[in-house]
Amino acid sequence: MRIKKDNLPTKGDLRKTLHRNLKFNATEQYKLLRTNISFTLPENIKCPIIGVTSSIRGEGKSTTAINLAYVYAESGKRVLLIDGDLRLPSVAKKMKIDGSTGLTNFLLDSNKIEIEKYRTEINEKWYVFPCGPIPPNPSELLASRKMEKLLEMLSEYFDCIIIDLPPVNIVSDAVAISKYLTGMILVVRQNYTEKEEYENCKRQLKLSNVNVLGLVMNGVNNGKSYYSNYKYKRYYKYYASQEYQQNNGDEQ
Ligand SMILES: Nc1ncnc2c1ncn2[C@@H]1O[C@H](COP(=O)(O)OP(=O)(O)OP(=O)(O)O)[C@@H](O)[C@H]1O
Ligand SMILES: [Mg+2]
């Protein structure tokens, strides 16, 4: 079941879906997501590294990753959001920050990272690494030993790292980096993601032994979704569609 044309998000929706512009209920759902993630993580982990992916394009991965990073920072954690979509990066554009340097530069030379340069003005605990120049070999870079070393180094500095990734059914990048992650969050968008696509994605993640921490239901406009029949080991729901916010939300 594809999303109908008239349900497609408009440009204005982007502004409404990001951190400080969120309505109260949506912010609360992201906080709940943060709490639920903490329950699924091993207790002794110093800096969880969490990937955010989905089955296809446009399900809300980047929106989820940005907002999740925001609520982590708001809770006092030093958080790093990395744009790991090295094919169609969008974090810098969405956040209106300079995207000229970022992850791909640091993978070439990790000594060149001036971490403080990547602190956001939104919250002093929130840092963002844009993608940087688009590389010819995203999958290999994400799976590389350099990536592992970079994440090890960054884990010493941050309390949490969130990586926005491309969709599983389109490219192998998310699976490629998964061996360096504490876990993966899977975003599913109501009235958009087809059942077969979701099943295919789930199968691929299982085959690759990816530790899926949970499922985020994006754009749910009531308490029930057609995915509610699915049995999923650990999952949580995220209700943040504009309609839901309008019906239930107060302004922040
Ligand atoms: N809950 C929501 N309500 C309304 N609009 C939303 C919601 N979540 C995401 N959007 C909008 O949907 C569009 C796609 O979202 P986003 O870029 O986060 O998806 P994505 O999965 O990262 O896409 P891609 O696969 O291209 O990277 C954006 O315009 C975003 O503002
Ligand atoms: Mg994205």
Side-chain angles (χ1 to χ4, degrees):
M1 187 170 24
R2 285 269 180 209
I3 197 164
K4 289 188 213 90
K5 259 218 155 117
D6 53 355
N7 282 343
L8 279 170
T10 62
K11 276 190 182 162
D13 286 339
L14 174 60
R15 189 177 44 79
K16 290 183 215 154
T17 54
L18 293 187
H19 44 88
R20 286 193 293 202
N21 298 317
L22 284 178
K23 294 194 175 176
F24 175 77
N25 263 289
T27 309
E28 286 306 303
Q29 293 305 321
Y30 283 117
K31 286 184 187 165
L32 188 60
L33 174 61
R34 183 192 64 208
T35 307
N36 285 335
I37 289 171
S38 70
F39 287 137
T40 64
L41 293 171
E43 258 175 38
N44 54 356
I45 193 139
K46 187 207 159 271
C47 173
I49 305 175
I50 301 162
V52 181
T53 192
S54 72
S55 52
I56 54 169
R57 289 252 167 233
E59 291 181 79
K61 298 176 286 299
S62 304
T63 307
T64 303
I66 292 170
N67 286 308
L68 187 58
Y70 174 67
V71 292
Y72 264 106
E74 287 285 292
S75 75
K77 301 256 187 225
R78 191 193 291 263
V79 60
L80 172 66
L81 170 66
I82 299 178
D83 194 342
D85 190 335
L86 307 185
R87 297 168 195 264
L88 287 173
S90 68
V91 171
K93 197 170 164 203
K94 280 182 168 52
M95 293 186 64
K96 296 195 173 64
I97 56 172
D98 175 20
S100 55
T101 58
L103 178 63
T104 53
N105 303 89
F106 310 147
L107 286 171
L108 291 179
D109 188 354
S110 61
N111 294 325
K112 284 211 176 123
I113 313 179
E114 294 168 59
I115 291 180
E116 288 306 315
K117 243 181 77 181
Y118 296 88
R119 188 200 291 261
T120 65
E121 286 172 6
I122 300 161
N123 186 308
E124 59 167 18
K125 299 264 183 182
W126 186 9
Y127 296 69
V128 177
F129 285 179
C131 153
I134 306 261
N137 53 346
S139 207
E140 288 75 12
L141 268 186
L142 291 168
S144 67
R145 177 87 185 103
K146 281 182 184 166
M147 186 76 214
E148 184 180 22
K149 287 195 133 188
L150 180 67
L151 289 174
E152 266 170 24
M153 192 265 277
L154 294 168
S155 299
E156 294 297 314
Y157 194 79
F158 292 100
D159 299 321
C160 176
I161 299 174
I162 295 167
I163 311 182
D164 181 25
L165 292 164
V168 171
N169 295 5
I170 316 281
V171 286
S172 60
D173 304 13
V175 168
I177 197 178
S178 64
K179 56 189 170 185
Y180 305 139
L181 305 178
T182 313
M184 191 80 86
I185 291 173
L186 192 54
V187 178
V188 178
R189 189 164 187 164
Q190 191 178 39
N191 296 333
Y192 183 85
T193 317
E194 289 185 20
K195 186 182 168 197
E196 301 83 76
E197 281 157 346
Y198 168 72
E199 294 290 354
N200 185 15
C201 171
K202 224 174 67 167
R203 200 174 317 117
Q204 287 199 51
L205 294 174
K206 196 174 176 194
L207 275 174
S208 311
N209 285 323
V210 177
N211 179 24
V212 179
L213 298 172
L215 185 68
V216 172
M217 305 291 291
N218 186 24
V220 174
N221 55 21
N222 59 47
K224 292 182 186 129
S225 113
Y226 62 91
Y227 275 112
S228 57
N229 291 335
Y230 283 11
K231 284 204 189 323
Y232 210 72
K233 211 173 168 192
R234 286 164 288 179
Y235 74 98
Y236 24 78
K237 292 177 183 171
Y238 156 52
Y239 306 107
S241 73
Q242 299 304 314
E243 193 186 332
Y244 182 85
Q245 291 164 29
Q246 273 151 19
N247 292 340
N248 301 278
D250 306 306
E251 290 290 346
Q252 225 180 342

